[in-house]
Amino acid sequence: MTVEMVTDIMQEAIMVILKTAAPPLLVSLTIGLTVSVFQTVTSIQEQTLTFVPKAVGIFACLMLLGHWMLNNMVTLMTDLFSNFSVYIR
């Protein structure tokens, strides 16, 4: 196994991680920003107000995109395990 092969595997794994983690993180960021603007406009300074909307938003995101996210991870692992004999040499 060469350094180039390891680098390619690491690059592919990092890209899958970023693609998989991006949707829930963006949903959480958007909801947090919206609630923060709402708190600023209404002068409500409750720290726990963002928790429930974020939890609901992330849950909805996982319900909608969970199948796609799992397929990305399974495809990566299938590719790694199917080429395992190449990596051993």
Side-chain angles (χ1 to χ4, degrees), residues 1-87:
M1 188 168 200
T2 64
V3 174
E4 290 81 18
M5 289 175 70
V6 173
T7 305
D8 289 341
I9 293 169
M10 293 285 290
Q11 183 179 5
E12 186 179 354
I14 289 172
M15 287 306 296
V16 168
I17 290 168
L18 290 175
K19 284 193 307 187
T20 304
L25 289 175
L26 290 175
V27 167
S28 177
L29 176 74
T30 304
I31 292 173
L33 184 63
T34 304
V35 170
S36 294
V37 168
F38 175 75
Q39 284 180 325
T40 302
V41 169
T42 60
S43 298
I44 299 173
Q45 297 302 320
E46 179 62 35
Q47 297 296 321
T48 60
L49 186 62
T50 61
F51 178 74
V52 173
K54 279 186 184 179
V56 170
I58 290 173
F59 180 72
C61 179
L62 292 177
M63 290 294 290
L64 293 173
L65 299 175
H67 186 262
W68 171 79
M69 294 165 71
L70 187 60
N71 278 339
N72 280 342
M73 292 184 283
V74 168
T75 301
L76 174 68
M77 294 309 297
T78 302
D79 290 345
L80 287 175
F81 288 145
S82 66
N83 296 328
F84 191 69
S85 61
V86 175
Y87 303 143

